[in-house]
Amino acid sequence: MLNLIPVPYKSEEKNGSFIIDGKLKISSDFDLPLLKLERADDGKLIIKKDSSLPDEGYTLDVKEDCINITSSTEKGAYYALQSLRQIGRYELGKREVPCCTVEDKPDFKWRGIHLDESRHFFGKEEVKRLLDMMFMMKLNVFHWHLTDDQGWRIEIKKYPLLTEVGSVRKYTQINGWHCIDTVDEVYGGFYTQDDIREIVSYASQRKITVVPEIDFPAHCASAISAYPWLACRELKREVPGYFGDAVPVRKFGIRDWNRTICLGKEEVINFVFDVIDEVCELFPAEYFHIGGDEAPKNEWKKCPRCQKVIKDNNLKTEDNLQVWFNNRVLEHIKAKGKRLIGWNEILKAGNLDKTVIAQYWTPQRDRNAERHANGGGNLIMSNHRSFYFDMPYGKYPLKYTYDYSPENYGVNKENIKNVLGVEGEVWTEWIDGREKLDMQIFPRMQALAEAAWSQPENKSWKSFCTRLDGFKPYYKLFGINYAVDSVSMPKNLLKRAFIKYKFINGDTHLEVKLNKKYKGEQ
């Protein structure tokens, strides 16, 4: 068995090995600028172009006297090299690459990781570090959540207050959803447009598409703090540092959390288009994520302007008002040659343009999402149970990610072709730094990679666990604080229940402490 994650489409280990030395040279039909090897016509690492292979597919043939790679694209060649990297383990001091043949291709087109930087901001170097590991795992989409209620993290030149005001909050909620504890410290940070370009370029070199998420029409409290006229009622509000209803209601006595923009003001619609225009200039991806989930409708119900739009356009409900808005945004996005993505709640009203991609996240079953996929619409699967990486392992153990199947969520077998792929979500309400960020993502990223890349018939939990053990030296090499097995694969049901309770009611870092303890015992 080759020590390789994700498991390839076909592979065979053979006798013998190729010896890597300091004289290894490459002969390649592709430029491959990330590969820092001397080129020579007689190089022993030989990469040939074969247009008959799938876009991301490759073959790898390790012999005692040479290594042969074929692919139809530079992307496929890089993926072959990532496989060779793991098989050879030369970064870990090995010099013998076992002879083998590998024929490989991905199961899903969309293999993604999402990072929320509104709740907590990590900066360019942390993002690059995440992209490097995604590249190693053949993951190809970085979904970048850059705006939400608790902070606006991307520079928009036409509206400078979005970052001058909207990126800074005076306090931050801690200790779980049901607690009202806060740390009263100024917290902020944002990416300049030059920063964004740098990250997009870095990702592109690693064949990763960066998809921006700019949330509309809800999750807009930080934007409204900067420009109160965006709301139905122009209430003066600071950027909130809380993540749910417990703090505003119980601590501050606020019951009218202003987080949804007014859809009855044309100047607000123009603001949305202006923001989209600047963002699209920065991201060449063919996708734009609008969010669209958890949109409170109370302000729209009381707003005469919103009600006039409903009446003038023969809309039945406020849900239809949101669809009217989404379809306007869709037309603006389509004119730029991009496709609109939104969380699956946007399907609720039922009259959304069918070209929209829905991202299915909700813990509860959503028949609208099922109908969308089974009726020909595209889905990205981010189901809470399998892919919410911010959740404790006590709630969602590692095996939940590995065992994912679209058929478990109402997508008929013949319509799995409408599922673009899968994505792990890293929401950061309770992730405040590298130590916890690493532990929540790793080894879930490795399980996600196999769920996304490998064909179902090739998957084996037992085999994965063995190969994961073989991969763990890379965590040490790269300084990654991964979750040890006793944390990521919990077996004690009482302990799991306790961890879930504490996560909501007082200690969101309990597993971090346990992880540190168990590592010390190893």
Side-chain angles (χ1 to χ4, degrees):
M1 178 178 62
L2 294 175
N3 204 332
L4 180 58
I5 298 174
V7 66
Y9 177 59
K10 293 179 182 178
S11 66
E12 181 183 357
E13 192 167 359
K14 301 181 178 180
N15 294 328
S17 60
F18 177 89
I19 307 301
I20 294 180
D21 57 32
K23 300 177 182 178
L24 182 63
K25 297 177 182 179
I26 179 176
S27 170
S28 176
D29 290 345
F30 302 99
D31 289 337
L32 306 175
L34 294 181
L35 189 60
K36 307 302 182 184
L37 288 176
E38 182 181 342
R39 290 176 175 268
D41 291 340
D42 60 348
K44 298 299 183 182
L45 176 55
I46 304 161
I47 303 176
K48 295 290 186 183
K49 183 174 182 177
D50 181 349
S51 300
S52 69
L53 293 175
D55 175 53
E56 296 181 299
Y58 66 89
T59 67
L60 170 64
D61 185 10
V62 180
K63 301 178 180 179
E64 291 185 345
D65 60 344
C66 66
I67 299 174
N68 291 290
I69 288 172
T70 60
S71 65
S72 64
T73 63
E74 186 178 280
K75 185 185 298 185
Y78 270 133
Y79 289 159
L81 290 167
Q82 294 305 311
S83 292
L84 182 64
R85 179 184 183 185
Q86 284 191 56
I87 295 168
R89 301 168 74 81
Y90 40 84
E91 290 163 294
L92 301 173
K94 306 294 183 181
R95 289 293 175 262
E96 295 184 4
V97 184
C99 291
C100 61
T101 58
V102 176
E103 179 186 343
D104 210 0
K105 61 181 179 179
D107 193 35
F108 285 115
K109 171 184 177 182
W110 187 290
R111 308 180 300 279
I113 291 286
H114 152 284
L115 180 64
D116 161 26
E117 289 209 74
S118 173
R119 280 54 178 258
H120 282 95
F121 180 77
F122 296 94
K124 289 190 295 183
E125 295 312 308
E126 288 299 312
V127 171
K128 289 179 180 179
R129 188 167 164 264
L130 181 61
L131 292 169
D132 285 341
M133 283 304 296
M134 290 177 61
F135 184 41
M136 190 175 188
M137 291 293 103
K138 306 182 180 76
L139 301 177
N140 64 352
V141 178
F142 177 52
H143 172 179
W144 208 358
H145 189 87
L146 289 165
T147 71
D148 215 300
D149 296 315
Q150 294 79 18
W152 187 283
R153 307 292 180 208
I154 178 172
E155 177 187 28
I156 303 297
K157 293 186 181 295
K158 190 168 184 177
Y159 299 98
L161 296 184
L162 287 172
T163 46
E164 290 177 24
V165 174
S167 71
V168 181
R169 61 180 186 252
K170 294 182 178 179
Y171 62 92
T172 300
Q173 183 182 353
I174 58 172
N175 295 334
W177 298 104
H178 292 174
C179 294
I180 61 172
D181 303 328
T182 58
V183 173
D184 296 326
E185 295 177 358
V186 174
Y187 188 95
F190 68 91
Y191 293 100
T192 66
Q193 294 196 356
D194 284 342
D195 291 336
I196 297 288
R197 292 187 186 96
E198 181 181 335
I199 290 294
V200 169
S201 174
Y202 191 89
S204 178
Q205 292 168 19
R206 287 150 183 80
K207 308 307 172 186
I208 296 170
T209 298
V210 185
V211 177
E213 181 181 351
I214 310 296
D215 274 44
F216 294 121
H219 291 277
C220 292
S222 59
I224 292 170
S225 297
Y227 296 101
W229 53 266
L230 291 171
C232 295
R233 292 181 296 148
E234 297 188 20
L235 303 174
K236 181 61 179 176
R237 290 281 187 265
E238 294 180 343
V239 177
Y242 44 79
F243 306 125
D245 293 335
V247 170
V249 174
R250 289 163 51 197
K251 189 166 186 173
F252 300 136
I254 297 173
R255 296 183 179 275
D256 57 356
W257 185 5
N258 218 15
R259 60 195 299 216
T260 310
I261 58 174
C262 180
L263 301 188
K265 300 177 184 177
E266 194 61 24
E267 62 266 36
V268 173
I269 306 297
N270 290 333
F271 165 87
V272 172
F273 290 166
D274 289 341
V275 169
I276 289 172
D277 289 347
E278 286 199 33
V279 173
C280 286
E281 286 296 314
L282 298 170
F283 294 89
E286 61 179 294
Y287 308 98
F288 188 99
H289 205 303
I290 197 176
D293 62 320
E294 300 175 330
K297 310 291 193 298
N298 291 339
E299 293 293 314
W300 297 345
K301 291 177 181 178
K302 295 180 290 187
C303 174
R305 297 182 185 89
C306 290
Q307 291 302 311
K308 185 176 187 299
V309 171
I310 290 174
K311 181 179 179 181
D312 290 350
N313 290 276
N314 297 314
L315 306 176
K316 294 180 180 179
T317 67
E318 285 72 27
D319 284 331
N320 297 121
L321 176 62
Q322 184 173 351
V323 173
W324 170 87
F325 167 77
N326 288 341
N327 281 333
R328 287 195 66 179
V329 172
L330 173 68
E331 291 306 313
H332 195 79
I333 291 292
K334 283 173 68 175
K336 296 178 177 296
K338 297 178 183 289
R339 292 187 69 183
L340 190 70
I341 307 173
W343 301 106
N344 58 284
E345 291 102 317
I346 65 173
L347 301 173
K348 183 178 178 181
N351 57 340
L352 191 65
D353 190 291
K354 294 298 183 183
T355 64
V356 167
I357 301 167
Q359 190 158 8
Y360 190 175
W361 77 272
T362 50
Q364 66 277 11
R365 183 177 181 180
D366 186 347
R367 295 187 184 278
N368 293 319
E370 295 170 15
R371 281 192 289 267
H372 185 69
N374 292 326
N378 287 141
L379 284 185
I380 300 164
M381 306 301 271
S382 296
N383 305 97
H384 206 277
R385 185 179 186 273
S386 297
F387 300 122
Y388 260 53
F389 290 180
D390 56 306
M391 292 290 108
Y393 290 96
K395 183 175 184 178
Y396 297 144
L398 182 64
K399 196 170 190 291
Y400 286 17
T401 299
Y402 191 83
D403 284 347
Y404 166 79
S405 170
E407 294 176 77
N408 294 336
Y409 295 91
V411 180
N412 299 333
K413 192 170 185 178
E414 63 271 21
N415 292 313
I416 289 178
K417 63 182 182 294
N418 298 326
V419 175
L420 295 183
V422 299
E423 181 180 292
E425 309 307 312
V426 186
W427 300 103
T428 62
E429 288 93 341
W430 317 115
I431 301 175
D432 55 3
R434 174 185 286 191
E435 183 180 37
K436 191 161 196 278
L437 182 69
D438 278 2
M439 198 201 73
Q440 296 298 136
I441 296 176
F442 303 102
R444 280 170 166 150
M445 181 188 283
Q446 280 62 54
L448 166 72
E450 198 141 306
W453 178 277
S454 304
Q455 280 66 29
E457 61 271 18
N458 291 337
K459 290 173 57 183
S460 159
W461 171 248
K462 183 178 179 181
S463 166
F464 172 76
C465 290
T466 299
R467 287 177 284 114
L468 180 61
D469 283 340
F471 187 85
K472 287 174 183 175
Y474 284 107
Y475 293 140
K476 183 177 181 180
L477 178 68
F478 301 136
I480 291 172
N481 180 46
Y482 72 98
V484 297
D485 291 357
S486 48
V487 171
S488 67
M489 308 176 197
K491 295 180 174 61
N492 187 307
L493 293 179
L494 286 177
K495 185 178 287 187
R496 286 181 59 188
F498 180 70
I499 288 170
K500 288 186 283 185
Y501 174 81
K502 295 297 288 185
F503 179 75
I504 297 172
N505 295 283
D507 192 349
T508 59
H509 285 57
L510 177 56
E511 285 185 328
V512 176
K513 298 169 189 173
L514 291 172
N515 201 54
K516 188 177 295 185
K517 174 187 174 183
Y518 297 149
K519 279 188 174 179
E521 293 174 352
Q522 288 181 348

